[in-house]
C-alpha cells in the first residue's frame, strides 16, 4: 500500500489552518491477521479456517463439526433443530393442552393441577361471604342511613351479629310475594329467550367433542324491549308499580340468593347424574363452585351461561333504577339528575349487552 506524503510540486503536505475549527481525531488502521489453529477435541480435530482480506470486506468461513459416529454435520439446516418446537427424539408426538385438558385423555378430569380463587377454602369463603356481604350492605343502606354498621358502645360482637341477623330476618325474609315476583320474572325471561326472534350463531369448536359447535339463539334485544314495554304497561295501568321492586328489595335479594344456590345444586347434581361433567378436580366444594358441566342447558334449548349473562342481572338492575325514579317522582314530583343518570347508564349498558349478545359466545 502506497502512502503519499508530498504534493505534485514536491513540497511537503501541510494541514490547512482553519481558526475556530476543532481538529478531528485521527484514526489508525491496522491490518487484521487470521489464524488457523488446530484444536483437538476427544481425539477429533476441529479446523477453523478463515480468510480475511485487507480491504473492508471480511469473510469468515467456519466449517461445522462432524460427528464421528455417523458423519453427519451437527447444526446443519437439513437436520432436526431444537428451536423449531419439535420434540427431541424420534417418534414422540407433541400433545396439545387446551384449558387444562390434554388431548387424548379423559375430558372429565382436570389434569392441570391448577386451582383458582385459593382452592376449596377460597371458594367456600366466597360462597358464604358474598351473600353475607350483600345482607350487610343492605342493612347499612336501610337501617344505618348508608353508614357502615358497627357495634354500639358496650355492645359485644356476638350481640352485634345477633342484631344483624334479626334485622335480616325482619326486613329481608324471603316472603311468598318476593318468590312470586322473582320467579314470574325468571320464567318470563326464559320464555322470551326461547320464543322471541333473534340471531342464531354457533359457538367455538369444542376440542374434547371433536370440534362440535353448539348453537345459540340470541334474542336479547327483543327480550329487552319486550320487557320494557310490558313493565311500563303494568306500571301505568296500576297492576304492578315499578317501585314495588324498591319496597320489596330485601326479600327479593334473599330470594335471588337462595335461587342462585338452588339452580347451582340442580345443575351440579344433574351433570353428575347424566355423566356430563367436565374437568373435575376431585374436590367437591371447588367443583361445585366452578361448575360441573361445561355448557349446561335445560332440555337442550335454554343455555344457562347465555341466559344468566345478561338477562337477569342487567335487566333487574335497570328495572330497579326505573323503580327508584318512579318512587321519587311519586313522592316529590320530579326525578333528580342523579337518579336520571343511573337510569340512562343502566339502560345503555343493558341495551348494549342485549344488542351484542351474539358476540358473547366468542369469548368463552
Amino acid at each position: 500500500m502506497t502512502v503519499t506524503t508530498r504534493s505534485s510540486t514536491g513540497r511537503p503536505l501541510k494541514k490547512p489552518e482553519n481558526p475556530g475549527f476543532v481538529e478531528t481525531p485521527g484514526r489508525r488502521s491496522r491490518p487484521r491477521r487470521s489464524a488457523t489453529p488446530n484444536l483437538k477435541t476427544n481425539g477429533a480435530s476441529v479446523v477453523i479456517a478463515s480468510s480475511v482480506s485487507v480491504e473492508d470486506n471480511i469473510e469468515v468461513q467456519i466449517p461445522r463439526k462432524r460427528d464421528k459416529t455417523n458423519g453427519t454435520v451437527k447444526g446443519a439446516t437439513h437436520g432436526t433443530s431444537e428451536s423449531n418446537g419439535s420434540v427431541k427424539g424420534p417418534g414422540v408426538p407433541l400433545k396439545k393442552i387446551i384449558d387444562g385438558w390434554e388431548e387424548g385423555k379423559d375430558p372429565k378430569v382436570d389434569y392441570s393441577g391448577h386451582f383458582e380463587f385459593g382452592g376449596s377454602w377460597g371458594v367456600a369463603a366466597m360462597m358464604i361471604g358474598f351473600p353475607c356481604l350483600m345482607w350487610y350492605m343492605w342493612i347499612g343502606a336501610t337501617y344505618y342511613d348508608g353508614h357502615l354498621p358497627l357495634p354500639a358502645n358496650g355492645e359485644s360482637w356476638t350481640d352485634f351479629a345477633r342484631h344483624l341477623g334479626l334485622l335480616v330476618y325482619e326486613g329481608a325474609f324471603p316472603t311468598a310475594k318476593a318468590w312470586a315476583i322473582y320467579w314470574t320474572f325468571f320464567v318470563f325471561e326464559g320464555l322470551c329467550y326461547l320464543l322471541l326472534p333473534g340471531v342464531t350463531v354457533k359457538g367455538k369448536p369444542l376440542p374434547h367433542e371433536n370440534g362440535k359447535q353448539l348453537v345459540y339463539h340470541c334474542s336479547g334485544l327483543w327480550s329487552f324491549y319486550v320487557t320494557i314495554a310490558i313493565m311500563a304497561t303494568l306500571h301505568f295501568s296500576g297492576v304492578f308499580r315499578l317501585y314495588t321492586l324498591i319496597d320489596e328489595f330485601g326479600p327479593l335479594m334473599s330470594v335471588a340468593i337462595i335461587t342462585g344456590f338452588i339452580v347451582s345444586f340442580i345443575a351440579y347434581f344433574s351433570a353428575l347424574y347424566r355423566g356430563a361433567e367436565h374437568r373435575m378436580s376431585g374436590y367437591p366444594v371447588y367443583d361445585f363452585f366452578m361448575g360441573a358441566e361445561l355448557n349446561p342447558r335445560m332440555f337442550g334449548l335454554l343455555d344457562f351461561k347465555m341466559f344468566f349473562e345478561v338477562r337477569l342481572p342487567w335487566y333487574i338492575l335497570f328495572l330497579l333504577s326505573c323503580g327508584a325514579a318512579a318512587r321519587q317522582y311519586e313522592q316529590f314530583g320530579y326525578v333528580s339528575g342523579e337518579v336520571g343518570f343511573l337510569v340512562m347508564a343502566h339502560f345503555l349498558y343493558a341495551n348494549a349487552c342485549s344488542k351484542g349478545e351474539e358476540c358473547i359466545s366468542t369469548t368463552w
Side-chain angles (χ1 to χ4, degrees):
M1 183 173 64
T2 304
V3 179
T4 304
T5 59
R6 292 180 179 273
S7 64
S8 58
T9 59
R11 297 179 180 179
L13 294 176
K14 295 183 179 182
K15 294 182 179 180
E17 297 181 0
N18 296 314
F21 284 79
V22 179
E23 182 181 359
T24 304
R27 296 179 57 187
R28 181 178 299 177
S29 59
R30 297 180 180 179
R32 299 181 182 180
R33 298 180 180 180
S34 61
T36 56
N38 293 331
L39 303 178
K40 296 287 185 176
T41 305
N42 295 330
S45 62
V46 180
V47 180
I48 303 177
S50 61
S51 60
V52 182
S53 63
V54 184
E55 304 295 331
D56 292 337
N57 297 328
I58 300 175
E59 299 177 358
V60 179
Q61 297 177 355
I62 303 177
R64 297 179 178 87
K65 178 181 177 181
R66 294 183 176 272
D67 193 352
K68 293 175 61 178
T69 56
N70 53 14
T72 59
V73 179
K74 288 188 177 180
T77 56
H78 61 270
T80 58
S81 173
E82 298 180 5
S83 61
N84 60 4
S86 62
V87 180
K88 190 175 182 180
V92 181
L94 182 63
K95 295 184 178 180
K96 296 181 180 178
I97 299 179
I98 306 172
D99 294 334
W101 170 68
E102 185 175 337
E103 190 177 12
K105 292 188 176 181
D106 188 1
K108 296 182 179 181
V109 181
D110 186 0
Y111 297 95
S112 66
H114 178 71
F115 292 90
E116 301 283 351
F117 308 111
S120 298
W121 288 104
V123 299
M126 293 170 66
M127 288 189 288
I128 297 173
F130 282 138
C132 293
L133 178 62
M134 294 172 65
W135 279 312
Y136 180 78
M137 296 176 66
W138 170 80
I139 290 173
T142 305
Y143 298 102
Y144 286 80
D145 196 24
H147 294 85
L148 190 68
L150 294 173
N153 293 331
E155 185 180 17
S156 65
W157 284 99
T158 303
D159 294 337
F160 176 66
R162 188 181 297 111
H163 172 65
L164 295 182
L166 182 62
L167 292 178
V168 171
Y169 178 79
E170 292 178 350
F173 185 83
T175 61
K177 182 179 180 180
W179 281 102
I181 294 173
Y182 188 88
W183 275 89
T184 299
F185 179 78
F186 196 109
V187 174
F188 169 75
E189 290 298 333
L191 293 175
C192 290
Y193 177 95
L194 297 173
L195 302 178
L196 292 180
V199 180
T200 301
V201 298
K202 288 186 177 182
K204 288 185 175 182
L206 302 176
H208 65 282
E209 294 190 14
N210 298 322
K212 177 183 177 181
Q213 292 179 279
L214 298 178
V215 177
Y216 295 91
H217 179 65
C218 305
S219 57
L221 191 61
W222 273 87
S223 299
F224 184 50
Y225 283 99
V226 169
T227 299
I228 293 176
I230 292 180
M231 294 302 296
T233 302
L234 293 176
H235 173 76
F236 290 109
S237 65
V239 176
F240 182 85
R241 297 290 186 180
L242 274 174
Y243 47 72
T244 306
L245 301 176
I246 304 298
D247 299 336
E248 300 292 330
F249 182 82
L252 284 172
M253 182 181 63
S254 298
V255 170
I257 292 172
I258 298 172
T259 300
F261 278 99
I262 292 175
V263 174
S264 299
F265 275 110
I266 292 175
Y268 179 76
F269 289 106
S270 172
L272 295 182
Y273 178 77
R274 294 180 288 110
E277 61 270 24
H278 179 73
R279 288 186 58 197
M280 303 290 280
S281 66
Y283 296 88
V285 176
Y286 180 79
D287 291 333
F288 172 76
F289 179 84
M290 299 299 292
E293 192 172 357
L294 182 61
N295 299 105
R297 294 193 167 195
M298 181 178 291
F299 309 117
L301 299 174
L302 193 147
D303 189 89
F304 280 20
K305 291 165 67 175
M306 182 66 74
F307 179 73
F308 290 115
E309 185 83 16
V310 176
R311 300 164 192 272
L312 288 189
W314 290 109
Y315 292 7
I316 290 179
L317 185 60
F318 171 67
L319 294 176
L320 285 172
S321 301
C322 293
R327 170 65 75 188
Q328 193 178 54
Y329 184 81
E330 182 183 81
Q331 289 183 347
F332 304 103
Y334 67 91
V335 177
S336 65
E338 293 82 358
V339 174
F341 177 81
L342 286 178
V343 173
M344 179 195 68
H346 293 158
F347 167 78
L348 291 176
Y349 198 97
N351 178 74
C353 292
S354 301
K355 186 169 61 175
E357 189 178 30
E358 65 270 17
C359 301
I360 295 177
S361 62
T362 61
T363 64
W364 293 339

